[in-house]
């Protein structure tokens, strides 16, 4: 039933109807609270009664509200009034592209501008794991500010599902007549990709196809694929190529036709792999190349790189072998198809620069992938579950990696992985493989760089700590081409990159940087500000020659906030790195009900290392960064939303004293992570843990009686990374509480202080366990199939934890003596990909619960799917610098 003017939906007053489609009627309305004009989409009663259609309506709201882009229609609200479900969006003045096409083709300048804006909007959605699936002229609004991409009613978060459905096609707009009815395939036929018509899984490249069809229609005024029946349209899409754009529009540039044709490749591996690739190609058509006459050194390098980026958008990775020698070419590498996370825990270029080893989680599986620069395709390596920080053998035939506490290797051609050595778990590693087969690495067993020869079974120390310089640890080794010298990073009072002999002895300081490696005679280093630099390296001296030269004008992404490593890799011909995604939306701290309903947003942060609600529930302590350029601090936010107020430097987990007057958190001091106590009433802090054998101590929880603190203790010389220790606040004596075969971390006292819930991976995967503090009863595993981040409400009758997939579970605690628990049940689901995003400290909880167990504070955001930047002939940038 149509709504009448002046009728109300919650706080929204209907003004006039705007249109209707298969998924709802749209009205112009006024928000009486904020006195602004909005657009409201109403779900029709016949659709609301269909569970699948209603789910699609809700999915549209969630998908669109998660996106923040000037060319994507903003979703303000979703609600229900009586039996009416509605979605509130920004009100847009203009016309749809379908309406504009009713008057014929568009001028080339408008085609290129609108097409580029659509492509950039799709890129933002795809990075957030969202595929639109219904890009068409009717879902593009033309406004004075440019295009707005509408209607995410068909959009879907990964993991992907098949498109076949019992529902009808997408919302219909004026001027469009889709050739489908009930019980058919989702989407409007003329813009559906081959994989959609064949009922296959879809990814972002499906939207690239539809964008190609839209570009074609904008330029020619005709649809790329047409027919007199659904069957003839399907046959055209699957089997024929449309006439060239230049044939239909002779004045169109041939380069534009090439861009469109690649969008419409039948095989999605042959298409552009991202929206940004399409945008770059269109911008090349739009903006002729111009050279500056007398730029300075740095500016010239950036101009060359910028021009090369445009060129790469046209020639593509597959044509790199035909690129002019010495000319830098820049392109992006998208994550593997269907990836939820990628490039977070390392990637590495092969010695010949033709392949890239990366880790990614796709379709719920964490595997090692090999990307070919020759054909732009990925393939996964079976048996590499949980792989992190890959590294190549010198011949390029084998890839080493770390997984579940073991160093392993696998042939690039395939086959089962082989274990090289057990090195401990829950710890980020970096390794380098020498030409003689020796592997250099760091681990928690020793503070220094170790080597593992192919003929030996046990590693040996290579470097030695210089205690006079206050060295705490040696990290991130890189063996140089001469096979005799090592680059490594020193943590301690005099941090930086050092060079030393593989035969031992003290190293020599080279530069102040977070990580470094050699490529093509250059030291490639990353600063604490995450800037990528090149500096000529003379190994014989050894020293750096000349001045450092910035290789990328943008900040790089942080690969592991807990270690400060920055993601980059290089060969003599290729350089690959991950830029910081400055456009990504911030993380929101959101209050949620037990059913997962968002109640309110408390604050926003760029990154989060830990969050804790105060004992009285009036404040929240957060460690993290407010923006990407600031250090990590401890912040106080009023539970009602005021703040945040900065306390001091710190990161990772936090814990409140029972009286709420002090906080304990982790802080890096001279290269070692210590637990510090900070009273809220003063600016002073007290270092609590100062152990000579410790690399990292992280507070878990303050005891209910206030007398001690449980902390995660990482010691050198041990097989396992983390054990649970307790330290007395009166005597400062520390003792082990839980030492198992694997890692133990994230300990939480029960409210009575007699039991501990904690996470351990001794069974091969992280699970939540419960045990009495006196150790009289055996530990009881309370999660089945994985779990982390245990939490207690004040009454101790439940235990909460996060299961794989971001499932927040509740387990009834029936008895603590003896230990007895009930069956776990699902409360709601959070975005688990955030835990692998570079905005989270490793193993930090994204969630906390109020004392009454009725509200949860959850970090909400979008996981990291930022593409990599790849430069061929990167050393040409240095030649331009000269």
């Amino acid at each position: 039933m149509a709504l009448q003017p002046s009728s109300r939906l919650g706080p929204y007053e209907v003004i006039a109807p705007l249109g209707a489609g298969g998924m709802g009627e749209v009205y112009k309305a006024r928000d009486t609270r904020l006195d602004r004009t909005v657009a409201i989409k109403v779900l029709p009663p016949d659709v609301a009664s269909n569970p699948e259609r209603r789910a699609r309506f809700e999915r549209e709201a969630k998908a669109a509200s998660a996106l923040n882009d000037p060319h994507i229609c903003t979703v303000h609200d979703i609600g229900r009034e009586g039996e009416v479900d509605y979605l509130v969006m920004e009100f847009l003045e203009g016309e749809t592209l379908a309406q504009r096409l009713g008057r014929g083709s568009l001028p080339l300048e408008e085609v290129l501008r609108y097409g580029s804006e659509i492509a950039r909007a799709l890129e933002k959605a795809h990075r957030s794991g969202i595929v639109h699936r219904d890009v068409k002229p009717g879902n593009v609004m033309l406004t004075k500010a440019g295009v707005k991409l509408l209607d995410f009613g068909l959009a879907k978060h990964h993991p992907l599902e098949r498109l076949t459905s019992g529902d009808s096609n997408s919302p219909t707009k004026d001027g469009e007549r889709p050739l489908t009815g009930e019980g058919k395939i989702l989407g409007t036929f003329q813009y559906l990709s081959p994989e959609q018509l064949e009922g296959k899984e879809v990814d972002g490249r499906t939207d690239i196809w539809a964008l190609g069809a839209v570009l074609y229609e904008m330029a020619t005024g005709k649809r790329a694929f047409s027919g007199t029946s659904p069957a003839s349209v399907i046959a055209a899409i699957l089997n024929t190529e449309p006439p060239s754009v230049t044939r239909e529009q002779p004045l169109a540039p041939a380069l534009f036709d090439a861009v469109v044709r690649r969008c419409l490749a039948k095989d999605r591996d042959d298409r552009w792999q991202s929206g940004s690739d399409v945008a770059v190609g269109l911008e090349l058509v739009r903006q002729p190349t111009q050279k500056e006459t007398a730029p300075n050194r740095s500016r010239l390098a950036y101009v060359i790189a910028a021009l090369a980026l445009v060129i790469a958008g046209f020639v593509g990775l597959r044509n790199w072998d035909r690129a002019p020698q010495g000319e830098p070419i820049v392109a992006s590498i998208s994550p593997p198809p269907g990836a939820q996370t990628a490039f977070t825990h390392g990637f590495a270029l092969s010695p010949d620069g033709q392949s890239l080893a990366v880790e990614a989680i796709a379709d719920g599986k964490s595997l090692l992938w090999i990307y070919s620069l020759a054909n732009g395709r990925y393939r996964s390596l079976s048996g590499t579950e949980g792989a992190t920080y890959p590294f190549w053998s010198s011949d390029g035939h084998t890839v080493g990696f770390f997984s579940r506490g073991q160093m392993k290797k696998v042939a690039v051609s395939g086959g089962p992985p082989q274990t090289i050595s057990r090195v401990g778990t829950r710890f980020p590693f970096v390794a380098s493989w020498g030409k003689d087969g020796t592997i250099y690495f760091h681990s928690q067993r020793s503070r220094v760089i170790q080597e593992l020869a192919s003929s030996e079974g046990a590693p040996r120390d290579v470097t030695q700590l210089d205690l006079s310089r206050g060295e705490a640890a040696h990290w991130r080794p890189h063996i140089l081409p001469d096979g005799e010298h090592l680059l490594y990073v020193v943590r301690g009072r005099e941090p930086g990159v050092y060079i030393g002999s593989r035969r031992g002895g003290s190293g020599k300081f080279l530069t102040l940087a977070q990580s470094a490696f050699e490529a093509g005679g250059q030291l490639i280093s990353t600063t604490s500000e995450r800037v990528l630099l090149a500096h000529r390296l003379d190994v014989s001296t050894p020293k750096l020659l000349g001045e450092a030269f910035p290789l990328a004008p943008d900040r790089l992404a942080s690969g592991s906030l807990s270690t400060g490593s920055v993601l980059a890799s290089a060969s003599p011909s290729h350089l690959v790195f991950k830029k910081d995604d400055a456009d990504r939306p911030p993380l929101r701290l959101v209050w949620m009900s037990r059913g997962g309903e968002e109640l309110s947003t408390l604050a926003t942060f760029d990154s989060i290392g830990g969050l804790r609600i105060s004992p009285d529930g009036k404040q929240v302590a957060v460690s993290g960064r407010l923006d990407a350029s600031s250090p990590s601090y401890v912040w106080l936010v009023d539970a009602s939303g005021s703040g945040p107020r900065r306390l001091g430097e710190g990161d990772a987990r936090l814990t409140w004293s029972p009286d709420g007057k002090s906080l304990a958190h982790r802080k890096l001091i001279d290269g070692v992570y210590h637990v510090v106590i900070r009273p809220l009433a003063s600016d002073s802090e007290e270092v609590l843990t100062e152990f000579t054998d410790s690399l990292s101590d992280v507070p878990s929880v303050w005891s209910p009686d206030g007398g001690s603190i449980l902390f995660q203790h990482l010691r050198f010389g041990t097989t396992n990374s983390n054990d649970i220790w307790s330290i007395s606040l009166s005597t400062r004596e520390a003792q082990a509480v839980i030492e198992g075969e694997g890692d133990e971390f994230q300990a939480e006292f029960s409210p009575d202080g007699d039991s501990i819930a904690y996470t351990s991976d001794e069974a091969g995967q992280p699970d939540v366990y419960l045990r009495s503090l006196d150790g009289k009863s055996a530990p009881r595993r309370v999660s089945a199939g994985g779990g982390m981040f245990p939490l207690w409400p004040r009454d101790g009758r439940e235990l909460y934890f996060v299961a794989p997939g971001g499932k927040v579970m509740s387990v009834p605690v029936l008895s603590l003596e003896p230990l007895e628990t009930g069956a776990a049940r699902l409360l709601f689901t959070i975005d688990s990909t955030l835990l692998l995003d570079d905005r989270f400290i490793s193993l930090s909880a994204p969630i906390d619960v109020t004392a009454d167990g009725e509200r949860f504070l959850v970090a909400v955001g979008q996981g990291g799917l930022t593409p990599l930047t790849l430069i061929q002939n990167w050393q040409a940038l240095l030649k331009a610098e000269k």
Side-chain angles (χ1 to χ4, degrees):
M1 181 180 68
L3 298 178
Q4 300 301 315
S6 300
S7 59
R8 298 284 289 265
L9 292 175
Y12 306 102
E13 181 180 358
V14 174
I15 297 175
L18 293 175
M23 273 297 289
E25 300 166 340
V26 184
Y27 296 87
K28 181 179 181 181
R30 186 175 69 89
D31 186 339
T32 59
R33 297 171 302 181
L34 301 177
D35 193 25
R36 65 180 173 185
T37 302
V38 296
I40 294 183
K41 176 181 284 189
V42 175
L43 193 65
D46 62 320
V47 177
S49 63
N50 184 313
E52 185 174 352
R53 285 190 170 189
R54 183 171 179 178
R56 282 177 55 202
F57 180 79
E58 294 175 352
R59 187 165 66 237
E60 173 181 350
K62 293 179 180 178
S65 65
L67 301 174
N68 180 19
D69 186 89
H71 298 297
I72 295 177
C73 181
T74 302
V75 172
H76 296 311
D77 193 10
I78 186 171
R80 183 177 178 85
E81 182 75 15
E83 298 300 318
V84 177
D85 294 277
Y86 61 90
L87 178 73
V88 184
M89 304 169 290
E90 65 174 314
F91 177 75
L92 301 174
E93 295 190 53
E95 63 179 347
T96 67
L97 179 57
Q99 292 168 331
R100 170 60 186 84
L101 285 170
R103 302 193 299 273
S105 61
L106 280 67
L108 180 63
E109 175 62 26
E110 292 184 6
V111 173
L112 298 176
R113 178 162 64 93
Y114 294 155
S116 179
E117 290 172 350
I118 297 171
R120 296 291 184 189
L122 289 175
E123 174 74 8
K124 176 61 70 68
H126 296 165
R127 287 193 190 187
S128 302
I130 299 172
V131 181
H132 190 288
R133 303 199 303 181
D134 194 28
V135 177
K136 61 182 181 180
N139 280 337
V140 177
M141 179 70 76
L142 306 181
T143 72
K144 292 181 180 180
V147 305
K148 286 280 189 175
L149 189 56
L150 311 174
D151 200 350
F152 276 79
L154 293 181
K156 187 178 189 302
H157 285 270
H158 298 304
L160 302 173
E161 70 177 10
R162 295 189 179 276
L163 260 174
T164 52
S165 170
D167 203 357
S168 66
N169 55 282
S170 62
T172 322
K173 307 291 183 185
D174 294 339
E176 289 188 278
R177 297 182 60 195
L179 301 172
T180 181
E182 293 293 331
K184 305 300 181 184
I185 303 175
L186 298 175
T188 307
F189 262 70
Q190 287 84 353
Y191 309 95
L192 289 182
S193 65
E195 61 267 21
Q196 284 175 295
L197 293 174
E198 293 172 347
K200 297 179 180 178
E201 293 182 346
V202 303
D203 56 31
R205 295 169 295 179
T206 299
D207 289 342
I208 300 300
W209 166 281
L211 174 56
V214 171
L215 288 170
Y216 186 97
E217 190 170 350
M218 282 196 290
T220 66
K222 300 178 181 179
R223 286 176 174 159
F225 304 96
S226 59
T228 59
S229 67
S232 62
V233 174
I234 293 174
I237 292 173
L238 294 177
N239 303 314
T240 67
E241 300 292 339
S244 67
V245 173
T246 52
R247 173 182 167 183
E248 300 294 330
Q249 189 64 268
L251 296 180
L255 184 54
F256 174 75
D257 185 49
V259 172
V260 173
R261 283 196 173 278
R262 187 162 182 181
C263 288
L264 294 174
K266 308 293 186 188
D267 187 339
R268 52 184 151 183
D269 288 335
D270 294 331
R271 294 175 205 154
W272 299 109
Q273 298 298 294
S274 70
S276 63
D277 289 342
V278 181
V280 166
L282 294 175
E283 288 158 9
L284 173 59
V285 181
R286 187 181 180 191
Q287 300 175 358
T289 299
Q290 297 179 353
K291 296 184 179 180
E292 298 194 20
T293 56
N296 60 43
R297 294 184 305 174
S298 296
R299 188 177 182 187
L300 175 59
Y302 295 153
V303 168
I304 291 174
L307 295 178
L309 176 60
V310 175
I311 293 170
F314 176 58
V315 300
L317 290 176
R318 299 188 181 191
N319 295 326
W320 275 18
D321 57 343
R322 297 191 291 275
Q325 291 299 313
E327 178 181 315
I329 296 179
V330 185
S332 62
I333 297 178
S334 298
Q340 288 86 55
T341 64
F343 316 139
T344 303
H345 295 106
F347 51 80
L349 272 171
S350 60
D352 62 5
Q354 297 304 307
S355 299
L356 186 70
V358 307
E359 54 76 32
I361 296 179
D363 299 326
K365 295 182 179 180
S366 173
L367 293 172
L368 198 64
W369 298 70
I370 302 298
Y371 177 83
S372 170
L373 273 66
N375 59 29
R377 297 185 180 182
Y378 280 98
R379 59 185 177 88
S380 61
L381 297 179
S382 61
T384 58
E385 287 78 6
T388 59
Y389 295 96
F391 57 98
W392 290 84
S393 61
S394 60
D395 60 12
H397 295 161
T398 308
V399 175
F401 61 95
F402 297 91
S403 176
R404 297 173 182 171
Q406 296 180 326
M407 181 194 295
K408 297 184 177 184
K409 64 180 180 180
V410 62
V412 177
S413 59
Q418 300 177 22
T419 298
I420 301 174
S421 176
R422 176 171 175 79
V423 292
T425 56
R426 299 297 157 203
F427 206 75
F429 298 93
V430 176
S432 181
W433 205 328
K435 293 181 180 179
D436 63 356
T438 302
I439 298 175
Y440 301 87
F441 67 102
H442 67 249
S443 78
Q444 77 280 10
R445 291 180 179 177
S446 172
R447 298 177 188 236
V448 297
I449 305 302
Q450 296 186 301
E451 69 174 13
L452 187 65
S454 57
S455 59
E456 299 178 2
R460 75 170 189 89
D461 294 348
V462 176
T463 61
Q464 297 176 344
L465 294 179
D466 188 337
L467 299 180
S468 66
R469 291 195 299 221
E471 293 183 356
H474 294 168
W475 290 62
R476 306 185 193 97
H478 176 80
I479 185 68
L480 295 177
D482 64 4
E484 293 297 326
H485 290 86
L486 279 169
L487 296 173
Y488 56 92
V489 176
V490 169
R491 287 177 57 176
R493 193 170 61 244
E494 300 178 18
V497 175
Y498 287 68
I499 185 170
S501 170
R502 59 170 286 185
R503 304 184 188 280
S506 183
K508 179 180 179 181
F509 174 82
L510 286 178
T511 185
L512 186 63
Q514 295 288 311
S515 61
F517 54 90
E518 185 274 346
Q522 299 284 327
L523 179 77
I524 311 298
S525 64
T526 53
T527 69
S528 58
E529 292 78 24
R530 308 211 300 273
V531 175
L532 189 65
L533 302 175
H535 211 147
R536 186 180 172 193
L537 174 64
D538 182 354
V539 177
S540 62
T541 312
K543 65 179 180 180
L544 299 175
L545 304 177
E547 298 179 357
F549 180 76
L551 290 172
D554 301 319
R555 289 163 57 89
L556 274 65
S558 174
S560 174
L561 294 178
S562 60
T563 62
S565 65
V566 182
L567 299 178
S569 181
S571 70
S573 59
H574 297 91
L575 172 67
V576 61
F577 53 89
K578 183 180 178 184
K579 293 194 297 184
D580 187 31
D581 186 1
D583 294 331
R584 66 187 178 189
L587 299 173
R588 294 185 298 127
L589 287 182
V590 175
W591 288 109
M592 285 189 174
S593 68
R594 289 175 62 91
E597 177 187 2
E598 288 195 16
L599 303 176
S600 63
T601 296
L602 179 66
T604 60
F605 287 83
D606 176 75
S607 67
I608 291 178
L611 60 94
R612 283 287 190 171
I613 304 170
S614 63
D616 62 7
K618 295 181 179 181
Q619 298 185 94
V620 175
V622 182
S623 65
R625 298 192 306 247
L626 281 184
D627 57 75
S629 61
S630 67
S632 179
Y633 290 102
V634 175
W635 306 85
L636 276 185
V637 185
D638 189 88
S640 63
S642 64
R645 176 169 66 91
R646 193 176 80 183
L647 291 182
E649 292 186 16
D651 63 8
R653 289 173 65 93
L654 317 96
T655 180
W656 287 88
S657 61
D659 60 10
K661 295 181 179 181
S662 299
L663 279 167
H665 61 84
R666 187 180 79 164
K667 183 178 181 180
L668 183 64
I669 303 174
D670 290 337
V672 176
Y673 287 106
H674 296 281
V675 177
V676 300
I677 295 178
R678 180 179 297 275
L680 271 59
S682 72
D683 295 330
S684 63
E685 64 182 20
E686 177 188 359
V687 179
L688 184 62
T689 59
E690 294 184 278
F691 307 112
T692 58
D693 65 344
S694 179
L695 175 63
S696 179
D697 293 324
V698 184
S700 283
V701 65
W702 215 302
S703 64
D705 62 9
S708 63
I709 291 178
L710 293 181
F711 64 98
Q712 300 166 199
H713 189 31
L714 168 61
R715 293 173 294 156
F716 289 106
T718 60
T719 301
N720 309 309
S721 290
N722 283 298
D723 292 317
I724 303 299
W725 282 52
S726 174
I727 186 167
S728 169
L729 298 183
S730 59
T731 66
R732 295 302 191 265
E733 293 182 357
Q735 61 179 353
V737 177
I738 304 174
E739 292 182 298
E741 292 297 322
D743 281 333
E744 287 75 40
F745 44 95
Q746 300 167 351
E748 294 287 329
F749 275 114
S750 60
D752 61 11
D754 293 334
S755 300
I756 300 174
Y758 63 97
T759 303
S760 174
D761 65 356
E762 65 178 20
Q765 66 180 8
D767 266 303
V768 174
Y769 292 78
L770 185 61
R771 62 173 292 171
S772 58
L773 188 60
D774 58 20
K776 293 182 179 179
S777 57
R780 181 181 182 87
R781 184 164 65 177
V782 298
S783 62
M788 298 172 68
F789 313 121
L791 295 169
W792 295 89
R794 182 172 294 166
D795 62 15
R797 296 180 180 179
E798 288 179 290
L799 180 64
Y800 310 112
F801 66 91
V802 181
K807 299 176 181 178
V808 179
M809 311 295 292
S810 170
V811 174
V813 179
L814 306 177
S815 171
L816 291 176
E817 188 60 43
L819 294 177
E820 185 177 356
T821 58
R825 65 185 183 92
L826 174 66
L827 295 182
F828 56 92
T829 301
I830 62 176
D831 184 1
S832 61
T833 64
L834 283 175
L835 303 180
L836 299 175
D837 192 279
D838 62 10
R839 288 174 288 174
F840 271 91
I841 298 292
S842 178
L843 303 181
S844 290
I847 187 172
D848 199 8
V849 65
T850 55
D852 60 8
E854 293 301 316
R855 291 191 303 161
F856 291 82
L857 187 62
V858 181
V860 175
Q862 299 173 15
L865 283 171
T866 305
L868 300 179
T869 297
L870 182 63
I871 304 179
Q872 182 192 26
N873 300 329
W874 62 271
Q875 295 192 65
L877 299 175
L878 308 179
K879 295 177 183 178
E881 183 263 347
K882 297 177 182 178

